Amino acid sequence: MVRKADREAFMAALAAAHPNPKSELNYTTPFELLVAVVLSAQATDKGVNIATAKLFPIANTPEAIAALGVEGLTPFIQTIGLYRNKAKNVVKLSEILRDEYGGEVPEDFEKLVALPGVGRKTANVVLNVAFGHPTIAVDTHIFRVSNRTGFARGKTPDEVEEKLLKAVPKAYLKEAHHYLLLHGRYCCKARSPECERCPVVDFCNAPEKKARLADFSPKSES
């Protein structure tokens, strides 16, 4: 476990490694971000960006997406996994935003999770990235980093989220989502964590760390 006394230094090290963190999904408005995050479930950011680069110049408002309908939206996103259900959800949530919220994305967690295709993680991403709320959306990368390093262990994403909100020092809370996600995506990877270049390696006692560092230690002369 990362000790309470080390939490500040742990987050400071991640912040130094990612001094200007931002979402890797391309967007210009809260609605574009919402659509991109809904599309990103079980898909890569790169794949979503390719699809939205074609979609958003044609339709990037609730009114425009609703006008496309499912059949009109599908060709733009059919390269993305689960595109049929995602098309239905994106069109439906667009209709709700058009009819109930004046075409604006609500800056409210409960209203967001009530939208089709929007779960806790998606709502937290939108609140954090689009509106600057100090929320943490626990995806597979954040779940892995939190458990592997011992910074905030939990059996479910919700449990990890709850612990992170308590463990992350306030000064780092707004960007903690990005620090942890980027660390998990590019360094503390699932199959081959790159412990030899990890900025928080001194705080981590994961079994993978010992094995990985052994492979990079100088070989003794025979």
Side-chain angles (χ1 to χ4, degrees), residues 87-105:
K88 294 176 183 177
N89 287 333
V90 169
V91 169
K92 184 60 179 177
L93 71 83
S94 296
E95 292 172 344
I96 293 172
L97 293 179
R98 178 197 64 192
D99 298 340
E100 300 182 20
Y101 296 104
E104 300 294 327
V105 175

Side-chain angles (χ1 to χ4, degrees), residues 119-136:
R120 186 175 191 89
K121 184 185 76 173
T122 296
N124 279 332
V125 170
V126 172
L127 289 174
N128 178 257
V129 177
F131 298 115
H133 289 217
T135 57
I136 299 177

